[in-house]
Amino acid sequence: MPVFERFSVLLLGVLMLILSSCGNERDAKHKREKKISESIAVLGALPESVIDPPDNLTNAKKVELGRFLFYDPVLSGNRDVACATCHQPEFNYAEFLETSIGVNGTGSDSKRQFRLPNTIPFVKRNSQSILNTAFNGIKNHGEYDPRLAPMFWDMRAKSLEEQALLPITTLEEMRGHSFAEEAVLDEIIARIRKIPEYQTLFSEAFSGETNPVHAKNMAKAIAAYERTLVANNSRFDQYMRGDSNALSLSEKEGLNLFLKTGCAKCHNGPMLSDFKLHTLGVPDTQNRKEPDAGINNDYAFRTPTLRNLRYTSPYMHSGKFVTLEHVLQFYEDISGGKILNPHVSARQMDPLATQMNVNFRDISGIVEFLNTLNDDTFDKTVPTRVPSGLKVKGNVD
């Protein structure tokens, strides 16, 4: 065979190899994208009403009592912090701090600081929003059991009733140094029993009980109030209920990007959370000296809801990301092989995160979609006074 013909055959072979390689890359990319992308069917609208647990059916008196208790610092060891100190209506019942300052704190928002001298640490994790926690654990088609609803970043509590008492017994949140963990609830109940207005409120909320002022009923009242804090009519909810005009074309494109990049692998269902623990290598807060390894010592934390993110910055369990753009850039880094927490190894990282396909060019579109999940019509009513006569919300002035 002449040299020219041999060269032509060789060149043709190389071209075929290149084209075959490109085709294989396209096929691999298509398969990868097909694997990552989810259908809109994995998402859903929130129900238009809330389910109560059978042993804590709501009534107006119980909700009224729960609201007072939520805002009353009499529930804290030093009478200086209330549930509402770290869960403020103007911040979607969360707050604008990386991690909270509970006991021995003063001021609000970015001006909140510890009183001196101080031996109380920062709260361990970012303050999660209480809004829509009535729906925690919900699956598509509205299936959930309020008695089993997972609570906290590590899901260590089930139900709003169980969750309600734990901050009261936690040193840095509401208890302080004045009382032992096993004694503080008895102290709080003893205080409440001395307040005539609370005696009346408990009797009205739990009519038929001879001695209604006790810790279990206190938890029930707070939980009943928290189940009224819902934001279930966002434009996304309207869209999922059949109003195709509720989202703009660019917001629908953002929704498609959200599904395509793999976000919905974990952020699914009506709350856009699978309510599972995942190890992502999120950086630790600098507010605490010790690293936060989570409940199973594997740096795994619960998938947060994506609802009303406009009001709940900063984000993640450590509060390290101030904007949604920062969060999505973090996921882009993960998919590129970066691990931002030095205590987390590559083998610990959740493959659902490392296999995501977040690109910088898609971030603004995804953020545009996430903003359709905001609903500002939730109840923001703050009582002008509380039965104890203490400052509403505690020392936040």
Side-chain angles (χ1 to χ4, degrees):
M1 181 182 293
V3 174
F4 177 76
E5 290 184 15
R6 289 201 301 271
F7 178 75
S8 298
V9 171
L10 179 62
L11 180 61
L12 180 61
V14 170
L15 288 172
M16 291 178 66
L17 182 63
I18 291 173
L19 290 172
S20 175
S21 175
C22 290
N24 289 339
E25 287 181 6
R26 283 196 300 269
D27 290 344
K29 182 178 180 182
H30 175 72
K31 289 179 181 177
R32 186 166 62 251
E33 289 182 350
K34 187 175 181 181
K35 180 180 179 182
I36 290 173
S37 183
E38 293 291 317
S39 163
I40 193 173
V42 303
L43 307 179
L46 282 173
E48 297 185 65
S49 60
V50 170
I51 297 175
D52 297 324
D55 64 343
N56 191 24
L57 300 179
T58 192
N59 62 61
K61 291 295 184 179
K62 195 181 294 184
V63 170
E64 179 188 19
L65 169 60
R67 189 191 304 272
F68 278 133
L69 292 168
F70 187 85
Y71 284 91
D72 198 334
V74 75
L75 271 64
S76 63
N78 296 342
R79 296 179 174 88
D80 63 344
V81 60
C83 303
T85 307
C86 301
H87 299 282
Q88 303 169 22
E90 59 268 38
F91 293 109
N92 198 95
Y93 290 92
E95 71 169 332
F96 188 65
L97 285 178
E98 188 171 296
T99 61
S100 298
I101 294 174
V103 177
N104 201 40
T106 184
S108 61
D109 307 336
S110 60
K111 296 180 180 179
R112 188 161 176 79
Q113 58 188 341
F114 285 110
R115 294 176 179 270
L116 298 176
N118 178 62
T119 57
I120 299 289
F122 279 84
V123 173
K124 195 172 187 178
R125 295 171 189 147
N126 179 258
S127 175
Q128 282 193 311
S129 171
I130 291 174
L131 198 67
N132 286 326
T133 48
F135 300 115
N136 273 16
I138 192 171
K139 305 295 183 184
N140 268 337
H141 313 298
E143 300 170 0
Y144 71 102
D145 185 341
R147 296 168 297 182
L148 301 176
M151 298 290 162
F152 298 113
W153 282 105
D154 55 14
M155 305 200 302
R156 67 186 183 275
K158 302 292 184 185
S159 82
L160 282 168
E161 284 76 10
E162 184 178 345
Q163 176 273 332
L165 299 182
L166 292 182
I168 299 172
T169 63
T170 302
L171 169 70
E172 64 268 34
E173 294 189 40
M174 297 180 73
R175 174 165 60 88
H177 290 301
S178 300
F179 302 95
E181 183 176 356
E182 61 274 12
V184 67
L185 280 176
D186 289 339
E187 164 64 20
I188 301 306
I189 293 301
R191 292 176 187 174
I192 290 174
R193 284 175 176 161
K194 295 177 182 177
I195 301 172
E197 186 176 356
Y198 269 131
Q199 288 276 11
T200 300
L201 288 167
F202 270 85
S203 295
E204 292 175 345
F206 300 95
S207 59
E209 291 192 29
T210 305
N211 298 301
V213 185
H214 51 76
K216 187 175 181 180
N217 278 350
M218 181 169 69
K220 286 184 175 183
I222 294 172
Y225 165 62
E226 290 176 342
R227 285 194 179 93
T228 69
L229 303 177
V230 296
N232 54 357
N233 194 34
S234 68
R235 289 191 294 116
F236 172 74
D237 290 304
Q238 296 166 27
Y239 179 74
M240 294 300 289
R241 292 174 189 142
D243 182 359
S244 61
N245 296 319
L247 303 187
S248 68
L249 289 176
S250 59
E251 289 166 343
K252 291 174 185 176
E253 176 59 27
L255 169 58
N256 289 332
L257 290 171
F258 178 85
L259 296 167
K260 178 181 177 182
T261 55
C263 299
K265 288 286 186 182
C266 299
H267 293 285
N268 49 51
M271 281 286 279
L272 286 91
S273 172
D274 60 4
F275 295 99
K276 295 180 181 178
L277 302 175
H278 298 279
T279 300
L280 305 177
V282 177
D284 284 313
T285 177
Q286 300 305 303
N287 290 339
R288 305 269 294 215
K289 293 181 180 180
E290 71 282 3
D292 185 359
I295 195 167
N296 297 321
N297 205 38
D298 57 1
Y299 294 88
F301 298 93
R302 195 195 86 197
T303 304
T305 179
L306 299 182
R307 289 181 169 276
N308 277 38
L309 293 174
R310 177 186 296 157
Y311 313 103
T312 58
S313 170
Y315 307 107
M316 313 303 261
H317 74 275
S318 58
K320 290 301 294 182
F321 301 129
V322 177
T323 69
L324 294 176
E325 286 79 5
H326 290 157
V327 174
L328 288 163
Q329 287 165 15
F330 166 74
Y331 282 110
E332 183 183 30
D333 287 342
I334 290 178
S335 62
K338 294 182 182 179
I339 301 175
L340 300 188
N341 190 317
H343 302 288
V344 176
S345 66
R347 63 178 177 79
Q348 289 177 286
M349 293 289 289
D350 196 309
L352 290 177
T354 58
Q355 293 173 9
M356 288 178 66
N357 188 25
V358 179
N359 294 306
F360 181 79
R361 65 178 180 272
D362 298 330
I363 289 177
S364 61
I366 295 173
V367 170
E368 189 168 4
F369 158 65
L370 293 176
N371 282 323
T372 71
L373 293 161
N374 297 318
D375 175 8
D376 193 38
T377 61
F378 55 90
D379 181 14
K380 307 176 188 70
T381 307
V382 178
T384 57
R385 50 168 292 279
V386 287
S388 69
L390 296 168
K391 290 182 179 180
V392 175
K393 294 198 290 188
N395 289 339
V396 294
D397 297 328

